[in-house]
């Protein structure tokens, strides 16, 4: 990938680049960020449950990623072969969730 190419790579599923950020991963990450922003305060302050995001390895975010890896990826692979989330896409989603969790902890 040269310096003039875009970070967003909307390539076909057959082209498996590991150095790109896809629009699909950003949109899924944003959905997760919205969920964390809405659910974490509700869980912590209204339900008064164990904190959704509490430690250096947040249980809530880790559970969400396990659902992506163990449930969503096989479903995507079954519906359309080659459409499962790539490792770089999962890392983008994970990083976005961690940033949202860190912001929530500062409140």
């Amino acid at each position: 990938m040269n310096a003039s190419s875009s970070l967003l790579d909307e390539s076909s599923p057959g082209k498996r680049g590991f150095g790109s950020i896809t629009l699909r991963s950003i949109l899924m990450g944003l959905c997760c960020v919205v969920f964390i922003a809405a659910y974490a305060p509700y869980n912590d302050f209204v339900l008064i449950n164990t904190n959704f995001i509490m430690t250096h390895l947040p249980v809530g975010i880790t559970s969400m990623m396990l659902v992506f890896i163990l449930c969503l990826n096989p479903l995507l692979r079954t519906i359309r072969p080659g459409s499962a989330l790539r490792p770089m896409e999962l890392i983008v989603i994970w990083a976005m969730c961690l940033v949202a969790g860190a912001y929530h902890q500062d409140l």
Side-chain angles (χ1 to χ4, degrees):
M1 201 175 228
N2 61 23
S4 65
S5 65
S6 175
L7 285 177
L8 293 174
D9 178 23
E10 289 303 312
S11 59
S12 65
K15 186 179 178 185
R16 300 295 227 186
F18 285 101
S20 60
I21 299 171
T22 63
L23 183 61
R24 175 174 75 158
S25 65
I26 292 173
L27 292 176
M28 290 179 133
L30 282 175
C31 289
C32 291
V33 166
V34 168
F35 174 76
I36 291 168
Y39 182 71
Y42 176 75
N43 179 67
D44 297 348
F45 303 122
V46 176
L47 297 178
I48 310 172
N49 281 338
T50 302
N51 290 344
F52 186 69
I53 302 163
M54 184 170 54
T55 62
H56 294 297
L57 182 64
V59 175
I61 294 174
T62 305
S63 300
M64 285 176 34
M65 289 308 295
L66 282 174
V67 168
F68 272 111
I69 294 168
L70 298 177
C71 297
L72 184 65
N73 250 2
L75 181 66
L76 287 173
R77 192 173 291 122
T78 301
I79 292 172
R80 184 171 164 227
S83 66
L85 293 168
R86 297 185 302 236
M88 186 62 176
E89 292 174 318
L90 290 168
I91 291 170
V92 168
I93 296 168
W94 174 257
M96 291 176 74
C97 289
L98 287 178
V99 170
Y103 178 75
H104 169 69
Q105 285 298 86
D106 287 340
L107 296 178

